């Protein structure tokens, strides 16, 4: 199973860097809804929680060893003004923290530059080759149809490897449904941390983030698989986002897992299953291990850190960050 939210979160973080440049030049005719006006899809999730009148359970944990603790928040990288202010238990923990740790600090100019550079270096087709030349005709026809319907210049994709073309289409689809990455939970907390003078720590490097998505092999098999799955997912992005937002606002693990599960169960031993597992390992599992290691380091160093990572890394499957921390013998309490 590929954690689709983990992929979407990666796209959104890279989007924060790339969108103002080469992508927005192709998107000028499409204006997202004003996030400040709120969105009925998202507000509905908040209203459900308020009407229920029950204590809220968040994607929020306190992780402790014998003499110190850190806070761990599961973020979604898109939101609107209805998300704020955050619940008091989250707000208090953030205010009292001395450091903010995020997957990657996109506010750091050097990191942003590296993301753009890595994307271009690893995402362009070799000289003399076109994306159309390596895709099955039916897949290229689907891309052609989507670009025509969206008013997106097809030639923009011709020079891209499949993985970058998939990311570009995802980013454009995200913009079309009115998602604002600048109001994502981690983005808002990053801005606040910079304003408040908190130290900001990146859990990953730019090359690690891009490497989780990039496929630069001669066959581009993983990239083509990713592009194929993206073509399926963009058609349901609006409803998928609505369910993710509802799950986050209500602390509903089951809804988040159900929404993010890949609906296709590939047979063992098939090429599709092998590729799916490899992508899952790169995008999700191996990154979870590194995140858990860094959090454990914070505790061993008695650092007062507020950690924010994508919610998918905390609740999906058995190899999530929360489970990995518990296996280390750490105390993990949910709020």
């Amino acid at each position: 199973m590929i954690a689709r939210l983990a992929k979407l979160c990666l796209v959104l973080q890279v989007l924060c860097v790339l969108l103002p440049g080469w992508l927005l030049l192709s998107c000028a005719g499409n204006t997202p809804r004003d996030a400040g006006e709120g969105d009925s899809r998202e507000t509905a999730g908040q209203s459900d929680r308020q009407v229920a009148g029950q204590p809220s359970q968040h994607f929020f944990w306190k992780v402790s060893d014998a003499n110190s603790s850190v806070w761990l928040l599961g973020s979604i990288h898109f939101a609107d003004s209805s998300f704020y202010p955050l619940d008091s238990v989250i707000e208090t923990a953030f205010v009292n923290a001395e450091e903010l740790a995020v997957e990657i600090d996109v506010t750091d100019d050097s990191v942003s530059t590296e993301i753009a550079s890595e994307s271009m270096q690893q995402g362009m087709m070799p000289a003399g080759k076109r994306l159309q030349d390596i895709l099955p005709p039916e897949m290229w026809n689907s891309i052609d149809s989507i670009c025509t319907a969206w008013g997106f210049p097809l030639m923009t994709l011709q020079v891209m490897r499949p993985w970058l073309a998939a990311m570009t289409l995802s980013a454009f689809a995200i913009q079309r449904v009115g998602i604002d990455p600048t109001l994502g939970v981690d983005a808002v907390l990053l801005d606040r941390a910079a304003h408040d003078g908190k130290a900001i720590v990146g859990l990953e490097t730019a090359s690690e983030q891009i490497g989780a998505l990039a496929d630069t092999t001669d066959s581009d098999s993983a990239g083509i698989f990713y592009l194929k799955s993206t073509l399926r997912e963009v058609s349901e992005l609006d409803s998928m986002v609505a369910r993710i937002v509802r799950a986050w606002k209500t602390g509903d693990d089951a809804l988040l897992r159900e929404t993010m599960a890949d609906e296709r169960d590939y047979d063992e031993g098939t090429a599709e299953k092998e590729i799916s597992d490899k992508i899952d390992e790169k995008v999700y599992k191996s990154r979870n291990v590194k995140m858990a290691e860094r959090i454990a380091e914070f505790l061993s160093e008695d650092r007062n850190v507020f950690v924010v990572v994508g919610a998918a890394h905390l609740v999906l499957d058995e190899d999530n960050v929360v489970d990995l921390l518990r296996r280390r013998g750490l105390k993990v309490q949910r709020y």
Side-chain angles (χ1 to χ4, degrees), residues 227-279:
L227 179 55
K228 184 177 180 180
S229 68
T230 296
L231 293 175
R232 293 198 312 268
E233 292 166 7
V234 293
S235 64
E236 60 184 44
L237 183 63
D238 202 17
S239 61
M240 184 173 75
V241 166
R243 295 193 300 272
I244 293 170
V245 167
R246 183 185 179 91
W248 192 86
K249 287 188 172 183
T250 59
D252 190 336
D253 292 17
L255 177 58
L256 186 64
R257 292 191 187 101
E258 176 186 338
T259 303
M260 299 323 305
D262 192 336
E263 71 280 5
R264 300 195 176 208
D265 211 1
Y266 301 101
D267 294 332
E268 291 291 340
T270 62
E272 290 85 358
K273 174 63 173 174
E274 181 179 350
I275 294 173
S276 178
D277 287 346
K278 286 182 178 179
I279 295 176

Side-chain angles (χ1 to χ4, degrees), residues 36-261:
E37 296 175 357
D39 188 326
S40 59
R41 300 170 308 169
E42 300 175 352
T43 305
Q46 187 179 55
S47 299
D48 289 344
R49 188 170 65 192
Q50 291 169 344
V51 170
Q54 298 176 349
S56 300
Q57 179 172 258
H58 309 284
F59 293 101
F60 191 49
W61 289 261
K62 184 178 183 180
V63 186
S64 308
D65 60 12
N67 60 353
S68 60
S69 60
V70 301
W71 291 94
L72 177 59
L73 176 64
S75 169
I76 54 176
H77 300 297
F78 43 85
D80 70 5
S81 59
S82 72
F83 277 59
Y84 307 102
L86 297 171
D87 189 272
S88 60
V89 67
I90 300 173
E91 181 68 21
T92 300
F94 175 78
V95 169
N96 291 331
E98 297 174 353
E99 301 177 76
L100 173 67
V102 293
E103 291 179 30
I104 188 167
D105 181 10
V106 294
T107 65
D108 185 325
D109 290 342
S110 64
V111 173
S112 299
T113 299
E114 187 178 356
I115 288 177
S117 175
E118 290 281 344
S119 296
M120 295 301 101
Q121 289 179 18
Q122 300 190 51
M124 295 293 106
M125 293 289 294
K129 295 188 69 175
R130 302 180 305 167
L131 177 63
Q132 181 180 1
D133 298 332
I134 65 172
L135 297 181
E138 62 274 11
M139 188 181 299
W140 180 252
N141 290 338
S142 295
I143 294 172
D144 191 355
S145 297
I146 288 174
C147 288
T148 299
W150 290 357
F152 187 92
L154 185 64
M155 294 305 297
T156 301
L157 303 178
Q158 281 281 31
V159 297
M160 296 181 182
R161 285 186 176 272
W163 74 267
L164 185 57
M167 192 182 76
T168 302
L169 288 174
S170 292
F172 194 68
I174 287 165
Q175 188 198 35
R176 281 175 56 83
V177 300
I179 293 171
D180 188 349
T182 66
L183 287 176
V185 175
D186 54 327
V188 168
L189 293 179
L190 264 172
D191 286 345
R192 287 184 56 189
H195 180 270
D196 296 344
K198 294 183 189 294
I200 299 174
V201 181
L203 300 175
E204 298 175 300
T205 66
S207 60
E208 287 172 338
Q209 286 251 319
I210 297 299
L213 289 172
D215 174 21
T216 56
T217 61
D218 290 338
S219 67
D220 284 290
S221 56
I224 293 172
F225 181 89
Y226 173 32
L227 179 55
K228 184 177 180 180
S229 68
T230 296
L231 293 175
R232 293 198 312 268
E233 292 166 7
V234 293
S235 64
E236 60 184 44
L237 183 63
D238 202 17
S239 61
M240 184 173 75
V241 166
R243 295 193 300 272
I244 293 170
V245 167
R246 183 185 179 91
W248 192 86
K249 287 188 172 183
T250 59
D252 190 336
D253 292 17
L255 177 58
L256 186 64
R257 292 191 187 101
E258 176 186 338
T259 303
M260 299 323 305

